[in-house]
Amino acid sequence: MFQIAGHTMGTPEYTVLEAVALFHDIGLDGAEIVVQDDYRSGIPVDCPQGLLQEIKDTAEKLGVKIIALTPYNSRFNDLDKAVQKREEDAILRCIEAAEFLGAQYIRIYGGNFAAGDTDPDGKKWAALAESMRRLGDAAEAHGVKLVIENHFNTMTVSAKQSIDLSQEINHPAVGILYDQANLAFTGQEDYQTAVPLQTEKVYYMHVKDLKFKENQTGFVSSDVSHPKEEERNVVTRIVGEGELDWPGILRAVKSQGYEGWLSLEYERRWHPGDIPDASIGMKQSAAYLRKIFPTL
């Protein structure tokens, strides 16, 4: 049975506590929380225990499951061991926070691999896999799973890269975060290909919608987290008002055995001019998804 979470990327005007309350008020089942310093609707990397306790207590009181944490570390494939260790140490702290909050998943970037980067000898790929195995051991010990997102400027831009990496890592606590919107605007696989290709390792899903800009010439981004305004080839939309075939996508994943969490990665943090406040747009997105469920 699908459950819907709100993502605090979509609530930049709210504190985490306010976002959790909002998710409850608009009828969502869970929350995915950004882990990044200096973001109002996130928790810092070294989050004070008191704040974690307050978030946990609030979520439990409201019946909102803290399902995932989303840090922004990416240099797990760095060949400088000191850099790689710094990134891993941040994830280890995140794993401890996830266990305390009862979160099942931690979103992971598949390394840092911007346009133009190369890996002719496969050393960065190997470093990424080794890093994920180490972190997978730690995650498993704390009852948490790491989910590597289909994401631009990483080594898992495509579904094919994502399943290849997951099979290379070969760890039960490390899987895939399926994001069809990311695959779409980077020109990767359609859902008819992506779903059966990687479903065996899909542990978690992001849901968002978009429309391609007129006369767009393809995707480019100078940053790992999000493209700059002048680089964008799409505009963000409320789910159901864009171009993605969400009935088809959900029908496909369900046919492959996935009925897990759907996290509304409502991108208001990055593109506030595209979509309304989460109290409006995230609520509409969830309502649209729930209308689909009986038809699957």
Side-chain angles (χ1 to χ4, degrees):
M1 184 69 175
F2 291 117
Q3 290 183 285
I4 303 174
H7 194 314
T8 65
M9 179 188 288
T11 53
E13 304 89 349
Y14 300 72
T15 66
V16 172
L17 294 172
E18 291 167 345
V20 170
L22 172 66
F23 298 160
H24 166 267
D25 292 345
I26 62 177
L28 304 185
D29 306 297
E32 179 173 345
I33 299 174
V34 168
V35 180
Q36 192 174 37
D37 296 339
D38 301 322
Y39 176 53
R40 177 176 172 82
S41 203
I43 60 174
V45 175
D46 292 307
C47 189
Q49 190 66 27
L51 177 56
L52 289 176
Q53 186 67 59
E54 193 173 5
I55 293 169
K56 181 177 182 178
D57 291 346
T58 299
E60 289 178 351
K61 178 181 178 181
L62 295 174
V64 175
K65 167 73 174 173
I66 306 298
I67 188 62
L69 298 182
T70 294
Y72 282 79
N73 308 85
S74 63
R75 296 190 176 276
F76 310 107
N77 60 341
D78 203 295
L79 300 183
D80 182 330
K81 295 298 184 183
V83 173
Q84 189 185 53
K85 185 178 186 304
R86 180 194 68 204
E87 300 292 81
E88 290 182 13
D89 286 347
I91 300 303
L92 292 174
R93 295 194 293 275
C94 193
I95 287 170
E96 292 178 354
E99 181 183 32
F100 180 81
L101 292 169
Q104 293 175 238
Y105 307 107
I106 295 174
R107 190 288 301 273
I108 296 288
Y109 281 142
N112 192 297
F113 205 68
D117 283 358
T118 60
D119 186 31
D121 53 11
K123 288 184 178 179
K124 291 180 182 178
W125 179 267
L128 175 59
E130 291 168 3
S131 180
M132 290 300 105
R133 289 190 201 102
R134 287 192 293 270
L135 289 173
D137 287 344
E140 188 172 37
H142 289 270
V144 176
K145 286 184 168 64
L146 308 179
V147 286
I148 304 174
E149 188 173 7
N150 307 135
H151 205 282
F152 54 89
N153 286 5
T154 72
M155 302 190 89
T156 54
V157 179
S158 70
K160 178 65 166 59
Q161 290 171 326
S162 297
I163 191 61
D164 285 351
L165 180 64
S166 291
Q167 291 171 344
E168 174 88 9
I169 296 165
N170 191 28
H171 197 295
V174 184
I176 295 170
L177 194 171
Y178 171 38
D179 191 318
Q180 185 58 45
N182 285 353
L183 295 178
F185 70 71
T186 55
Q188 307 301 321
E189 300 94 342
D190 57 27
Y191 76 84
Q192 294 94 334
T193 301
V195 170
L197 183 62
Q198 60 181 359
T199 295
E200 67 178 82
K201 290 295 286 186
V202 170
Y203 295 166
Y204 191 63
M205 278 182 65
H206 276 170
V207 176
K208 54 181 180 278
D209 216 336
L210 54 82
K211 283 192 176 182
F212 283 91
K213 292 182 176 181
E214 293 185 9
N215 303 317
Q216 57 87 21
T217 57
F219 174 77
V220 64
S221 177
S222 54
D223 191 87
V224 175
S225 63
H226 65 287
K228 296 177 181 178
E229 193 63 32
E230 63 273 17
E231 296 172 328
R232 298 173 65 201
N233 64 337
V234 298
V235 290
T236 298
R237 288 291 177 257
I238 292 169
V239 179
E241 296 183 0
E243 298 182 19
L244 295 184
D245 178 11
W246 279 107
I249 295 166
L250 295 182
R251 193 171 294 114
V253 296
K254 186 176 180 181
S255 73
Q256 294 286 320
Y258 183 87
E259 290 189 79
W261 283 85
L262 307 174
S263 177
L264 291 170
E265 193 186 24
Y266 192 71
E267 295 188 317
R268 187 167 166 83
R269 178 186 185 184
W270 306 130
H271 313 301
D274 287 2
I275 44 179
D277 187 272
S279 62
I280 300 168
M282 201 177 283
K283 182 178 181 179
Q284 288 181 214
S285 296
Y288 173 77
L289 292 176
R290 290 202 170 100
K291 285 181 181 179
I292 296 172
F293 293 166
T295 71
L296 302 178

